[in-house]
Amino acid sequence: SGGEQSPCLFQFREDGFLVLEHFFTAEECDSMRTQIQRIIAEMEVPPHCRTEFSTKEDEQLQAQGSSDYFLTSGDKIRFFFEKGVLDERGNFLIPKERSISKIGHALHARDPIFKQITHSSKVQELGRKLGLERPVVVQSMYIFKQPGIGGEVTPHQDATFLHTEPLGRILGFWIALEDATRENGCLWFIPGSHTGGISRRMVRAAPGASTCVEFVGSEPAYDDSQFIPLPISKGGLILIHGEVVHKSELNSSESSRHVFTFHVMEAKDTSWSKENWLQPTPELPFPSLYT
């Protein structure tokens, strides 16, 4: 297109995010919600959630169990729970569908409905408009933000967790499957905060360490007054630059805030950090966004 940019792409480059209302239809949102209910109905609670807390050694095994469960979730569909929803025997204190925090990290590859959405023609077309030459999908998550207990997500940059050389090659697609409001935990952004690099990285810990990942560097104290809320209605898409600072508050409302989100990397002339928690596997190399 001879180097001209559409106004919305210009906005994305300025702000580090872009809101596209009604990108997906209500039907597409409902198909994802229905599918996730099916997945939950068939869910087996992971064993590390079921072990009783007793000795120190058990706790370490439990921690190791959850870290292995997390670290090896990149090519699978796995379940992560809110705090305080299981008793010490691993039984649910509330209905299981209300206890899940998120499901990740390979819905885009392992489930037909989420795969279809991730690679839908409108997503591919948007990738091309953004000038992505070799985009690959690195991870996906279904986030529930449960009523009353959906925890806050503190200010962060996605590139802290998904590091590339050079930076600037990670892009988040965040799809509201229900209206996201200030009450139920919509996203908040610092416009223009995507141009100063990153101050912190989450890396795989050395073998034998007590945790599976560790942080290098520190998160600066962000000024709360700089964040602006981005409420968005069902079907809306927010594009998130890998380095833009964003957060969400606790969901104190009585309605959930379901979201499907996935991250894409421009693979052309980019290297994926070997220290990232998430690694492609022989079973699931990062699939091309374009089909």
Side-chain angles (χ1 to χ4, degrees):
S1 59
E4 57 180 308
Q5 283 194 354
S6 69
C8 69
L9 290 191
F10 175 75
Q11 201 61 51
F12 177 68
R13 301 219 155 75
E14 286 285 288
D15 291 338
F17 58 83
L18 180 64
V19 175
L20 299 170
E21 284 281 9
H22 307 298
F23 190 83
F24 289 96
T25 64
E27 292 71 34
E28 287 170 316
C29 293
D30 294 341
S31 73
M32 287 186 264
R33 294 199 61 182
T34 305
Q35 188 66 354
I36 217 73
Q37 294 316 130
R38 279 194 203 114
I39 290 171
I40 293 171
E42 293 167 14
M43 166 183 81
E44 293 290 329
V45 179
H48 70 85
C49 294
R50 288 226 172 269
T51 54
E52 290 186 43
F53 289 105
S54 48
T55 66
K56 266 279 173 269
E57 196 177 324
D58 283 353
E59 279 185 39
Q60 281 168 348
L61 286 171
Q62 171 136 12
Q64 192 52 48
S66 23
S67 64
D68 290 344
Y69 187 78
F70 168 70
L71 280 184
T72 56
S73 66
D75 58 357
K76 302 177 190 71
I77 295 177
R78 288 195 161 167
F79 304 90
F80 302 91
F81 300 91
E82 289 290 356
K83 290 189 178 69
V85 299
L86 295 159
D87 66 16
E88 64 277 8
R89 290 194 173 75
N91 298 315
F92 286 102
L93 297 165
I94 58 174
K96 66 178 181 179
E97 63 279 0
R98 288 275 308 274
S99 66
I100 300 181
S101 157
K102 61 185 189 187
I103 297 179
H105 285 93
L107 286 160
H108 63 280
R110 297 286 181 242
D111 180 87
I113 299 285
F114 291 99
K115 185 175 196 172
Q116 195 182 332
I117 294 285
T118 303
H119 297 278
S120 56
S121 53
K122 47 194 163 188
V123 168
Q124 296 194 38
E125 192 181 323
L126 181 54
R128 292 198 165 89
K129 272 191 189 149
L130 290 161
L132 300 174
E133 292 184 57
R134 280 184 39 216
V136 296
V137 187
V138 298
Q139 70 156 4
S140 56
M141 283 188 290
Y142 192 107
I143 304 170
F144 293 82
K145 203 71 158 176
Q146 301 281 5
I149 61 168
E152 66 168 338
V153 177
T154 54
H156 67 283
Q157 299 165 290
D158 292 343
T160 282
F161 308 96
L162 308 171
H163 191 267
T164 58
E165 290 282 332
L167 284 172
R169 301 301 170 86
I170 290 290
L171 178 63
F173 289 71
W174 191 95
I175 306 157
L177 305 185
E178 307 177 90
D179 294 350
T181 64
R182 286 182 66 156
E183 291 67 44
N184 74 1
C186 71
L187 294 179
W188 295 66
F189 286 81
I190 301 181
S193 57
H194 60 303
T195 57
I198 58 170
S199 56
R200 189 171 72 129
R201 285 185 61 187
M202 185 174 93
V203 299
R204 284 181 170 240
S210 56
T211 56
C212 64
V213 293
E214 55 200 16
F215 285 95
V216 180
S218 58
E219 204 63 88
Y222 296 109
D223 174 358
D224 261 356
S225 68
Q226 291 190 303
F227 284 91
I228 61 160
L230 289 194
I232 187 165
S233 46
K234 176 176 176 172
L237 169 70
I238 303 180
L239 279 180
I240 304 175
H241 187 285
E243 283 110 88
V244 74
V245 177
H246 58 292
K247 66 173 184 176
S248 66
E249 308 283 344
L250 173 80
N251 180 2
S252 52
S253 79
E254 289 175 10
S255 54
S256 55
R257 189 223 66 187
H258 288 201
V259 163
F260 177 57
T261 176
F262 59 91
H263 283 89
V264 162
M265 171 177 71
E266 168 61 272
K268 184 175 190 274
D269 304 327
T270 308
S271 65
W272 179 256
S273 172
K274 290 273 184 280
E275 295 185 300
N276 285 337
W277 75 266
L278 175 77
Q279 294 297 328
T281 63
E283 296 73 41
L284 183 61
F286 294 150
S288 167
L289 179 68
Y290 301 150
T291 51

